[in-house]
Amino acid sequence: MSSPKGSQIQKMRLPVYTRKGPLEVPSPSEKDWSKDDEEDYVLKDPDQELDSLPQPYRMINKLVNLLFNRSWEVIEEKEAAREAERSRIQPIVYPPLVESKLNSMPKCMAISQDYVFIGEANGFSIYNLYNAKRIGAWEKLKVDVASIWATDLGSEVLIAPVDEMGVIRLFYYYKESLFLIKAINEVDDASKQTTCVKMEVSLGGDFAAFLLQGSRDVWLDVYKLPKESWLKEVEYPQLTANAKKKVRQLQLNTIDSVTPDNLAMDAYTCFKGDIKLSLPVYIMKIKPPKPVSGTTFKSPLEVFAKIEDSYGLGSGQNHFIKESQWEHQEAIFNASYKKYLDGEWEEEPLSTATFHFLLPSCIISMPTEAKGPSGVACVLGIHWTGSHNFFLYSLHRTLKDKGDPEGVWPCAAPIAVSNRSSCGSYLVLACEDGVLTLWDLSKGFPLGVIALPEGCFCQSIHFLKYFLVHKGQNVYPELPLKSKMKCLVLCTDTSLHLVEAEGTRGPTIRVLAERPVKYLNEIIRAVAPVPALPGMVLLFSQDGSVRLMDVAKPQIVCAFAPPRSYHLVVPWNPVFVVSSHRPCFLLQGDHPDEIEPTHDSRNIQNSIFYFSFEAYPLLKNVLGNVMISQSDFTDHTAFPQTLPLEERCERFLQERVQNLGKNAMKEQEHWNRLRRYSLFLQKREPQ
């Protein structure tokens, strides 16, 4: 007998509709399906009405609906992106001032003084920076020029092109005359040919270093450049015996029968091959640090009895660990990670180096007899791939001297990127863990250590000429400020950061541009500071756009773009150069859209676009007021931080005393209000 409670539960149950008869699996054919009475069929979910369609129409219907829904989502996303794009404030886009058409694709560019050097097929060409006219060329190679450097030596220019075979040559350009100094690494045997990976010339052009790579080795060759002898030899040339009849002058400005007007020669650059200049003096050869190995010393007493110097103590370079200890540690490591070590190992790439010429300072200890004139580099700083140490090598040495460094700066993590300021006073070391160390070389102390945001790692460092914000405008001080620096850090996630340091204050970091999430075409590919515009930097984006950013705001001021007939290859690796003395920059233009890819690339007209900041109305006011005088800078109302320490303390105390009176008045107002409120509450209380 069921309980009353159970009967109530049964009455509350919902009716269940079932089909009559046993369940059967329908046959694949529609004609064999069972004919159920329509009155006995109950549809549980109205949305399942379409599921009653026979196969394969049911599947087709679902696929069509899915395709429609996804298409509609894509349409909505694109429409939202277009609406957001229309609502964004677009900067003013300026076209180039001059377009120089070339008969071959430029591989690289460099600017020095008023000349532009463009690496092309079979050599390089020389152009005038102002009118973009071709004034000369050197075309003696069988391969193209892959990269080119140009260094200002005063009234002369040192040119260093590197061809596709890796051979680097030094040229001397003086008063429209071109002289070949030497091919640094050219050999007769092609199997022994080395490749020049990187080069660096010191400030003033007294020294040069070349990173060379062989089949299984890499090293650094350092030379002293006799620039004073070069100047005397070109002003008073001594002719060779074969050149007594006549100085052979070769005009190397090869022009095709069809030459654009802006390529017309306005001067003749002569190549004087019969005048031999003094060769650079070889100083030293630097190899990567040797891997850590065991020592043969048997006791610490023997170590300190035979040690000659302690330059590497504490850096891992000068250790005294026995070979048996290393073998024991290696056995433990192999046993712990055997399952990971059993697989195939790829051959490690050759180590590469980053090196900088450093000026004399108290942070670099040099012997008294080795000190040179001020303003001339005395030390070469270098760090190798995967190394924790920054090595310092004296430039005042001969080949007989040892190749050991005079100093070692150890870091907590391997050094990934480094850069030196153009003035030579500041150095930044960026480690692989995202930590930056800022050095003031002129004063001899670190400006501080700062870490990039989590997940950001340094890709490149760019120094900004120190500027101030005066009356809402960026200006340069008339006299350079000491122990104050600003630099841009482009991270591997394409975010851009501004790092500032001043004296003993801790460095600060500020995000200028985050990695774009919605607009991936705005990913920053390259960064270039503009020395002519205080606090301005050019950003070269993924889509080929070139934008000018004011880092003090930060905001985009304007943009630059070539004509629409030129398209950009994605991913874009821009070929550009910014003048350090003139308010302009050059940008390479790619092939026009009308050119078919099957055509010969040598017959395609390529272009170099010349952008002058003076020609654009928005930037004229900025160029007119880029410098603040020393009297205005020392005006304490404009820049209170320029006050001496005693006066700054006095002003601070006076401001505090004035604020005490204001605070007392506010205190009295609050007290009176509190008294009135308390009297009001007393009146409301019942007696």
Side-chain angles (χ1 to χ4, degrees):
M1 180 176 180
S2 60
S3 63
K5 186 176 180 180
S7 61
Q8 291 179 3
I9 294 176
Q10 290 179 359
K11 292 180 181 179
M12 293 175 61
R13 289 179 180 174
L14 294 176
V16 179
Y17 298 93
T18 58
R19 297 175 184 268
K20 295 180 179 181
L23 296 177
E24 296 181 359
V25 178
S27 59
S29 178
E30 184 180 357
K31 63 182 181 179
D32 297 333
W33 287 3
S34 60
K35 304 295 184 181
D36 294 336
D37 296 335
E38 189 175 351
E39 59 182 5
D40 297 332
Y41 177 75
V42 177
L43 186 62
K44 299 179 183 179
D45 188 359
D47 295 335
Q48 296 180 357
E49 182 179 359
L50 296 177
D51 292 345
S52 62
L53 293 174
Q55 292 287 16
Y57 304 106
R58 195 189 319 170
M59 177 80 61
I60 295 174
N61 181 74
K62 289 184 177 181
L63 291 177
V64 171
N65 289 337
L66 180 62
L67 180 61
F68 179 80
N69 293 334
R70 290 185 177 179
S71 302
W72 189 255
E73 291 175 359
V74 172
I75 293 172
E76 288 181 340
E77 291 178 0
K78 290 185 177 181
E79 186 63 26
R82 291 193 191 98
E83 187 64 27
E85 188 69 23
R86 285 192 295 266
S87 62
R88 294 177 65 194
I89 300 176
Q90 298 296 335
I92 301 175
V93 181
Y94 290 117
L97 186 64
V98 179
E99 177 183 357
S100 298
K101 295 183 179 180
L102 310 176
N103 292 331
S104 60
M105 179 182 293
K107 304 290 185 180
C108 49
M109 292 187 292
I111 287 183
S112 182
Q113 298 182 9
D114 299 332
Y115 304 102
V116 181
F117 305 92
I118 300 179
E120 300 173 343
N122 304 329
F124 62 91
S125 298
I126 306 173
Y127 289 82
N128 188 293
L129 180 61
Y130 295 102
N131 53 23
K133 291 184 178 180
R134 191 184 188 200
I135 60 178
W138 187 82
E139 299 175 348
K140 288 291 185 179
L141 299 176
K142 297 181 180 180
V143 293
D144 298 346
V145 171
S147 59
I148 189 169
W149 288 273
T151 305
D152 187 3
L153 301 181
S155 58
E156 318 85 46
V157 180
L158 179 66
I159 312 168
V162 180
D163 60 26
E164 292 182 342
M165 300 299 294
V167 178
I168 184 169
R169 297 172 174 84
L170 295 182
F171 290 87
Y172 191 75
Y173 189 67
Y174 176 72
K175 291 183 178 180
E176 311 297 339
S177 298
L178 189 65
F179 305 86
L180 174 62
I181 300 174
K182 181 184 180 182
I184 297 296
N185 58 332
E186 187 177 23
V187 294
D188 296 333
D189 189 357
S191 61
K192 299 180 180 179
Q193 181 63 58
T194 59
T195 301
C196 180
V197 181
K198 193 184 302 182
M199 73 158 292
E200 182 79 17
V201 179
S202 65
L203 296 174
D206 295 280
F207 299 92
F210 308 93
L211 183 63
L212 304 179
Q213 179 177 321
S215 58
R216 296 182 180 178
D217 197 6
V218 62
W219 67 93
L220 196 69
D221 283 345
V222 186
Y223 292 85
K224 180 176 177 57
L225 304 179
K227 61 177 187 177
E228 292 81 6
S229 301
W230 291 342
L231 185 59
K232 295 178 181 179
E233 292 167 356
V234 296
E235 289 183 345
Y236 308 100
Q238 299 294 328
L239 304 182
T240 60
N242 297 330
K244 288 183 178 181
K245 296 181 181 180
K246 187 178 180 181
V247 177
R248 183 170 59 93
Q249 297 183 347
L250 301 178
Q251 182 179 347
L252 300 175
N253 35 22
T254 305
I255 307 177
D256 296 341
S257 57
V258 181
T259 305
D261 294 338
N262 58 354
L263 290 184
M265 298 293 178
D266 64 346
Y268 290 103
T269 294
C270 299
F271 173 66
K272 300 184 179 182
D274 293 327
I275 299 178
K276 304 298 182 182
L277 302 183
S278 299
L279 299 179
V281 180
Y282 189 68
I283 297 179
M284 59 180 166
K285 181 178 183 179
I286 303 174
K287 291 187 176 182
K290 296 180 180 180
V292 180
S293 58
T295 182
T296 57
F297 294 116
K298 298 180 180 179
S299 65
L301 295 177
E302 186 181 357
V303 170
F304 291 103
K306 296 184 179 180
I307 188 173
E308 297 180 0
D309 51 39
S310 58
Y311 74 91
L313 287 177
S315 65
Q317 293 300 308
N318 226 355
H319 68 87
F320 305 102
I321 302 176
K322 291 185 178 181
E323 187 70 28
S324 59
Q325 292 176 303
W326 285 115
E327 293 176 356
H328 181 63
Q329 292 294 329
E330 185 178 2
I332 295 175
F333 179 83
N334 293 334
S336 302
Y337 300 96
K338 182 179 180 181
K339 61 179 181 179
Y340 302 102
L341 299 175
D342 291 340
E344 297 182 358
W345 283 80
E346 296 182 359
E347 185 178 356
E348 294 185 1
L350 289 176
S351 177
T352 185
T354 303
F355 43 95
H356 312 282
F357 288 97
L358 307 179
L359 299 177
S361 65
C362 55
I363 201 172
I364 303 171
S365 59
M366 298 295 298
T368 307
E369 62 275 5
K371 291 185 178 180
S374 61
V376 178
C378 66
V379 170
L380 179 67
I382 178 174
H383 65 87
W384 298 87
T385 303
S387 175
H388 292 246
N389 301 320
F390 188 74
F391 300 97
L392 302 174
Y393 293 86
S394 172
L395 297 174
H396 300 280
R397 60 168 67 194
T398 61
L399 288 175
K400 297 180 181 180
D401 298 333
K402 284 187 175 182
D404 297 333
E406 276 71 22
V408 180
W409 294 354
C411 296
I415 304 173
V417 184
S418 65
N419 197 6
R420 170 187 55 83
S421 62
S422 58
C423 63
S425 300
Y426 305 103
L427 176 70
V428 176
L429 302 178
C431 297
E432 292 182 356
D433 57 358
V435 176
L436 305 178
T437 305
L438 317 177
W439 287 93
D440 184 355
L441 299 177
S442 60
K443 292 294 183 180
F445 67 88
L447 291 173
V449 178
I450 194 167
L452 295 172
E454 186 177 357
C456 296
F457 303 98
C458 181
Q459 178 180 346
S460 60
I461 301 171
H462 310 270
F463 277 93
L464 291 175
K465 187 177 178 181
Y466 194 86
F467 67 93
L468 300 168
V469 180
H470 180 56
K471 296 180 180 180
Q473 186 174 351
N474 302 340
V475 292
Y476 289 134
E478 188 177 13
L479 297 178
L481 303 180
K482 297 181 179 179
S483 299
K484 295 183 179 181
M485 59 154 288
K486 296 183 180 182
C487 67
L488 298 173
V489 178
L490 179 62
C491 297
T492 53
D493 63 347
T494 69
S495 61
L496 186 64
H497 305 263
L498 174 65
V499 177
E500 300 181 70
E502 178 179 349
T504 56
R505 298 181 183 178
T508 60
I509 188 169
R510 180 161 56 98
V511 180
L512 298 179
E514 297 181 351
R515 175 180 174 84
V517 179
K518 293 183 179 180
Y519 308 100
L520 297 180
N521 56 345
E522 295 184 357
I523 290 177
I524 301 175
R525 301 287 299 179
V527 176
V530 182
L533 300 175
M536 301 289 183
V537 59
L538 288 173
L539 305 180
F540 298 83
S541 302
Q542 175 83 13
D543 58 353
S545 62
V546 183
R547 296 169 294 164
L548 183 66
M549 172 185 277
D550 184 354
V551 301
K553 305 275 173 107
Q555 67 180 15
I556 301 298
V557 178
C558 60
F560 308 94
R564 294 185 177 181
S565 59
Y566 288 82
H567 75 276
L568 301 170
V569 181
V570 178
W572 185 40
N573 293 317
V575 178
F576 66 93
V577 61
V578 181
S579 176
S580 58
H581 303 290
R582 310 297 180 190
C584 65
F585 75 97
L586 303 179
L587 177 66
Q588 175 202 344
D590 292 314
H591 307 318
D593 293 334
E594 291 80 7
I595 300 299
E596 297 180 1
T598 56
H599 289 192
D600 187 4
S601 61
R602 296 181 180 272
N603 298 327
I604 297 175
Q605 290 289 337
N606 298 272
S607 295
I608 295 294
F609 297 103
Y610 175 82
F611 296 87
S612 177
F613 302 119
E614 297 175 330
Y616 307 124
L618 188 61
L619 302 176
K620 282 185 177 180
N621 296 333
V622 179
L623 290 170
N625 302 305
V626 299
M627 195 73 65
I628 182 173
S629 63
Q630 189 65 18
S631 59
D632 292 337
F633 176 71
T634 54
D635 183 9
H636 306 325
T637 59
F639 301 99
Q641 65 269 25
T642 60
L643 285 168
L645 180 60
E646 294 79 4
E647 295 184 21
R648 292 174 65 183
C649 293
E650 181 66 24
R651 171 177 281 195
F652 176 74
L653 292 176
Q654 291 177 359
E655 291 178 355
R656 294 290 294 174
V657 171
Q658 294 175 1
N659 291 333
L660 285 176
K662 297 179 181 179
N663 294 337
M665 294 176 60
K666 291 182 179 180
E667 241 178 74
Q668 188 63 33
E669 292 178 1
H670 290 310
W671 180 251
N672 294 335
R673 189 181 300 111
L674 183 60
R675 289 184 61 187
R676 289 194 300 268
Y677 187 67
S678 62
L679 293 174
F680 174 74
L681 292 179
Q682 289 178 4
K683 291 179 180 179
R684 294 186 59 181
E685 288 183 357
Q687 298 297 331

